[in-house]
Amino acid sequence: MRIGELAHRTDTTPKAIRLYEARGLLGTVARAGSYRDYGEADVARVLLIRRAQALGFRLSQLTGLPALDSPEGWEDVAQLVSSRRAAVAQERARLAALDAELALLEVELRSCDGAQATSANASAQACAAPATSPPRAPQMQTQNPRFLARV
């Protein structure tokens, strides 16, 4: 099949397929004269690349794809997936901690509204209005009037 059909079947663009080929992600592509001739294995490979990208992998991380048909290639991809899962777990932990902080702040702020602001439950820091006025923009100080004319 030609590149247009491959692009249509994989919901991508010919430009993206050429990029995958240039980066070596498709391996060696057969040629019929001056045209690229793609097969079902190429469809599967492009779909795998698209899925990996949807899962957050960058193309530069997918260098083991051409060797996917070997045990070493499968092991490389398995290690890549394992490291991505570890990064996702770390991000989930960070987001859980952030969510807990936001929930605490929300409780503090809700205790400040209306008549409850004077109660003993309201945190003085959470309910306090800023005591200072907003900072002013610094003034330019220069002795050169030509400089001021250009500004």
Side-chain angles (χ1 to χ4, degrees):
M1 81 186 79
R2 300 277 165 82
I3 196 167
E5 184 180 346
L6 177 62
H8 179 71
R9 287 183 60 185
T10 58
D11 196 29
T12 189
T13 64
K15 184 176 180 179
I17 293 170
R18 286 187 203 100
L19 175 65
Y20 302 157
E21 185 181 351
R23 289 187 170 231
L25 299 177
L26 295 180
T28 304
V29 176
R31 298 226 178 231
S34 62
Y35 294 100
R36 294 174 178 90
D37 190 28
Y38 298 98
E40 293 302 317
D42 296 311
V43 172
R45 187 73 43 104
V46 171
L47 289 173
L48 180 63
I49 292 168
R50 302 273 295 162
R51 185 174 181 198
Q53 286 183 301
L55 292 171
F57 291 99
R58 295 183 310 255
L59 289 178
S60 62
Q61 295 175 301
L62 302 177
T63 56
L65 281 181
L68 198 58
D69 300 330
S70 69
E72 296 84 18
W74 283 109
E75 182 58 32
D76 289 347
V77 172
Q79 287 178 355
L80 184 63
V81 169
S82 178
S83 67
R84 180 71 181 146
R85 290 189 70 213
V88 167
Q90 186 177 12
E91 181 67 7
R92 285 175 41 192
R94 185 189 72 78
L95 289 173
L98 178 62
D99 186 51
E101 288 182 40
L102 288 170
L104 180 62
L105 178 61
E106 184 177 27
V107 168
E108 287 179 10
L109 292 174
R110 290 200 186 277
S111 69
C112 294
D113 68 358
Q116 294 180 352
T118 58
S119 71
N121 294 338
S123 164
Q125 289 178 343
C127 298
T132 61
S133 60
R136 292 178 11 181
Q139 297 202 357
M140 297 181 66
Q141 294 185 11
T142 181
Q143 300 297 330
N144 187 347
R146 295 174 99 181
F147 175 79
L148 291 176
R150 287 185 294 200
V151 176

